[in-house]
Amino acid sequence: MTLQEGPLAARVITFGGALQDVRLEGLQHSLTVGSPDISAYEGPLAHCGTIMGPVANRIAGARATIDGIECRFEKNFLNAHTLHGGGGAFHKKVWELVDHSGRHAALALVAPDGEGGFPGTRHIEARFEISDRTLSLTLTARTDAPTILNLANHSYWRLGEAPTTKDHVLQIHADRYLPSDPDTTIPTGEISDVAGTRFDFRDGRVLNDGADGLLDTNFCISASRQPLREVARLTGPDATMAIASTEPGLQAFDGHILVCPDQRTNDGVAPVPYCGLALEAQFWPNAPHQPGFPDITLHPGQNWRQVTTWTFEI
């Protein structure tokens, strides 16, 4: 379904709860990487705009201790770890459309107890809404047993007509980041200052299609969920996008894996490496194995609510 108010329009699909397309009046191209072909989301574009869960990002060893019980998950990353929930991944499911209007759409998903190894029957709701130049996503969740949960929208953004995000300026409001193992990209547990490193985006840095090295990194915005505040800003040749979120982390991923010669995007071209930058508001990766990271345990009766907004300007 297409949502629109004022100069901003977005298309949402039930497969993966995906944000399929975003358009801003005055521009001829899409602002996000998506496809009009649903089969693309069943294959190489599975992470484009979809909602990652039950646990976004990586869980080392495909296991976690939850409320004193060790749970084991599908090993779908390097045959050793779990990525984006493994077999119970939310981005592979068809969500239910429960309510919609010309400017909002509400989707729902029920994840059964034990699916993918994750305990608890979990009820997830996603509400997309447009107000003038701002698109918002509110995610809520509840469970009937202790579980772990970390949801994230995985949209890739490009704010110009060029094929990649080269020369976009990225600003991230974070003083710290999580160093990761170069082979697994799983955080080592260290929390480092960005000062003096290539991960210092506080004043904005120009993107250069990976010339400075891989960017698949969690930036530590805060130590816990906070009231909605701006966490990052991306400026391209045609538009600026400000991201605000309640979440304590922001994963920045440069999109170097987007090599899909047999697919076509909403603009009718094949995705190429660095054709979009993912900026995923979430909790910190691998939290179950790092006591110093913000806790992602969800208990029965607990209110879980994440809000992320994207505001666009020509």
Side-chain angles (χ1 to χ4, degrees), residues 85-106:
F90 294 171
H91 71 278
K92 298 178 181 179
K93 296 178 175 292
V94 177
W95 294 56
E96 179 187 1
L97 178 64
V98 294
D99 185 34
H100 70 96
S101 69
R103 55 186 294 268
H104 88 278

Side-chain angles (χ1 to χ4, degrees), residues 69-83:
I69 300 174
E70 183 172 275
C71 300
R72 296 186 177 273
F73 317 117
E74 179 187 352
K75 296 178 179 179
N76 68 328
F77 182 64
L78 301 178
N79 295 316
H81 314 289
T82 299
L83 175 65

Side-chain angles (χ1 to χ4, degrees), residues 19-169:
L19 181 60
Q20 183 187 38
D21 196 5
V22 179
R23 301 276 175 165
L24 188 60
E25 187 176 278
L27 302 181
Q28 300 303 310
H29 57 84
S30 179
L31 302 180
T32 192
V33 180
S35 174
D37 185 354
I38 193 66
S39 67
Y41 294 91
E42 298 172 328
L45 299 186
H47 296 168
C48 290
T50 47
I51 295 174
M52 300 294 116
V55 175
N57 220 300
R58 295 149 180 84
I59 302 176
R63 59 177 179 80
T65 300
I66 304 172
D67 202 34
I69 300 174
E70 183 172 275
C71 300
R72 296 186 177 273
F73 317 117
E74 179 187 352
K75 296 178 179 179
N76 68 328
F77 182 64
L78 301 178
N79 295 316
H81 314 289
T82 299
L83 175 65
H84 297 320
F90 294 171
H91 71 278
K92 298 178 181 179
K93 296 178 175 292
V94 177
W95 294 56
E96 179 187 1
L97 178 64
V98 294
D99 185 34
H100 70 96
S101 69
R103 55 186 294 268
H104 88 278
L107 310 177
L109 179 71
V110 178
D113 177 39
E115 184 179 45
F118 292 89
T121 300
R122 291 140 294 155
H123 295 257
I124 314 297
E125 294 187 0
R127 180 184 174 92
F128 292 90
E129 188 166 1
I130 286 181
S131 177
D132 192 33
R133 296 176 182 271
T134 296
L135 171 66
S136 66
L137 170 60
T138 301
L139 296 168
T140 58
R142 53 189 171 88
T143 181
D144 63 1
T147 191
I148 52 176
L149 190 78
N150 183 22
L151 305 181
N153 171 268
H154 202 297
S155 291
Y156 288 93
W157 304 99
R158 188 179 74 253
L159 307 180
E161 291 186 288
T164 75
T165 58
K166 182 176 174 60
D167 296 329
H168 283 48
V169 176

